[in-house]
Amino acid sequence: MNRLGDVSVLAVIGAGKIGSAIIRSVKKCRRDLTIIATGRREKTLRQAKELGAIPTRDNNRAVREAEVVVLSVKPHHFPVVLKQVDENNWQDKIVLSVMAGVKLSTLKEALKGAIVYRAMPNINALVGLSATAVTTDSNGDKHRELIEELLSCMGTVYWVPEEIIDVWTSLAGSGPAFLAEIVDAMVLGAVAVGMPRDLAYNAILDVLEGTAKLLKTRRIHPVEVRDEVTTPAGTTIRGLITLESEGVKAALMKTIEAASQRATEIGEKIDEAIKKELAKP
Ligand SMILES: NC(=O)c1ccc[n+]([C@@H]2O[C@H](COP(=O)([O-])OP(=O)(O)OC[C@H]3O[C@@H](n4cnc5c(N)ncnc54)[C@H](OP(=O)(O)O)[C@@H]3O)[C@@H](O)[C@H]2O)c1
């Protein structure tokens, strides 16, 4: 199976925020694809149905009937899902996990006979602009094209070595949350000086989009933009002195480092939990 067009049934185990973003974008790419989506609450199932998926609480059925399975539950719910699915049903399934921290080795150990991929999209998938990293091992080579096509429905795809995924989780997975905080802080700063909130919000979104486009189009280092904007004795340098004295740059660097470490910690915990689960008679 090489292309998304070869797949008849896709299962999304855990149709929450990212799971439903995946359903939405894959449906846009391939309207006729059957998607079985699972959840626990009525609300989750209703939303999945509205997106054109077949909703069910039955994870075992979803895995059994699908050729490709997306695992999008929270990492600590993964052991529960394992208990709910007959272990023989994983055989030969193409499994794409988007769970933070959960390693390929853990997935392979838990999902006997499955061909596993580990990806980290972000919530910008909702607007087709996720920056998604994906990794696999040599077993996964044969379905790379299919996985890339599936993930491309959400935005840009980067194949990376597995060691990169935890820091990607921080930079690009949590990245939208960090950038949203910065946007909010800048809006509040403008409001403090007397600017109407809505105007400040629209302005900063345009600035964010424009700056991203400028950096991407010109392929320049961010400090070049900073230096172009910074006039001697001007306004920008006054702001930059405040950023530096408040330690904002160091705080952001530490933010990425801390969130990456947390992804690694989660992975280790889940690995332990799965090993305990598998060791049970
Ligand atoms: N949110 C993001 O931006 C993002 C980005 C990249 C990766 N991720 C990863 O994606 C995963 C999900 O995150 P999320 O933010 O989408 O969380 P979420 O909104 O809480 O979604 C998780 C979903 O899993 C469902 N679920 C839990 N246990 C289940 C079970 N046993 N069977 C079937 N469904 C079950 C929940 O259903 P109910 O709601 O019905 O309880 C919920 O809808 C996490 O592992 C996270 O690391 C998230």
Side-chain angles (χ1 to χ4, degrees):
M1 199 170 294
N2 258 333
R3 307 299 307 260
L4 192 55
D6 301 333
V7 181
S8 324
V9 183
L10 174 85
V12 175
I13 307 296
K17 286 186 280 296
I18 204 74
S20 50
I22 293 172
I23 297 171
R24 194 188 298 265
S25 47
V26 174
K27 272 280 175 194
K28 269 198 190 142
C29 269
R30 252 206 68 193
R31 187 168 282 280
D32 61 325
L33 179 64
T34 300
I35 303 182
I36 306 178
T38 74
R40 296 172 302 186
R41 291 174 303 147
E42 201 48 51
K43 184 176 166 220
T44 311
L45 298 174
R46 196 176 53 246
Q47 279 170 357
K49 191 172 180 196
E50 280 163 13
L51 293 174
I54 301 167
T56 176
R57 288 192 175 84
D58 189 346
N59 286 324
N60 192 42
R61 174 195 151 202
V63 173
R64 190 180 60 236
E65 291 183 8
E67 297 125 306
V68 180
V69 180
V70 173
L71 283 174
S72 49
V73 293
K74 296 271 189 203
H76 63 275
H77 289 138
F78 181 42
V80 181
V81 170
L82 280 182
K83 276 194 237 166
Q84 294 168 333
V85 178
D86 181 341
E87 62 175 18
N88 299 318
N89 281 343
W90 295 108
Q91 187 65 41
D92 298 328
K93 300 291 172 179
I94 300 169
V95 178
L96 174 67
S97 161
V98 299
M99 297 181 292
V102 183
K103 292 180 268 188
L104 282 175
S105 57
T106 309
L107 294 166
K108 282 176 80 170
E109 200 174 340
L111 315 172
K112 293 269 181 306
I115 303 130
V116 297
Y117 300 81
R118 177 182 173 195
M120 186 43 61
N122 68 28
I123 203 65
N124 297 342
L126 285 171
V127 289
L129 287 174
S130 171
T132 306
V134 59
T135 193
T136 188
D137 58 15
S138 53
N139 286 334
D141 282 346
K142 54 184 166 182
H143 304 299
R144 266 175 177 256
E145 238 179 292
L146 158 60
I147 292 296
E148 181 157 340
E149 213 183 321
L150 194 152
L151 291 171
S152 298
C153 299
M154 289 189 274
T156 317
V157 181
Y158 299 81
W159 286 94
V160 300
E162 187 169 23
E163 309 86 83
I164 300 292
I165 296 270
D166 285 347
V167 63
W168 185 282
T169 302
S170 162
L171 184 71
S174 306
F178 302 148
L179 284 175
E181 280 291 287
I182 294 169
V183 165
D184 187 44
M186 290 175 81
V187 168
L188 290 177
V191 170
V193 184
M195 195 170 186
R197 201 182 188 292
D198 284 356
L199 183 61
Y201 192 46
N202 285 331
I204 199 61
L205 291 183
D206 285 345
V207 172
L208 191 68
E209 206 175 354
T211 309
K213 191 151 192 184
L214 187 70
L215 290 169
K216 265 185 141 174
T217 311
R218 289 168 65 187
R219 308 285 332 155
I220 51 175
H221 193 283
V223 296
E224 289 184 56
V225 171
R226 184 198 66 199
D227 287 351
E228 265 183 56
V229 179
T230 308
T231 313
T235 57
T236 309
I237 189 66
R238 221 22 107 69
L240 286 170
I241 290 170
T242 307
L243 276 178
E244 283 299 312
S245 63
E246 296 291 327
V248 173
K249 202 163 181 174
L252 288 171
M253 288 160 76
K254 286 185 192 165
T255 300
I256 300 302
E257 199 180 27
S260 173
Q261 279 164 0
R262 181 63 187 141
T264 308
E265 265 169 39
I266 293 173
E268 278 157 10
K269 262 190 161 172
I270 294 299
D271 200 34
E272 260 174 51
I274 298 292
K275 283 198 165 88
K276 262 192 202 156
E277 197 54 50
L278 295 175
K280 282 184 188 164

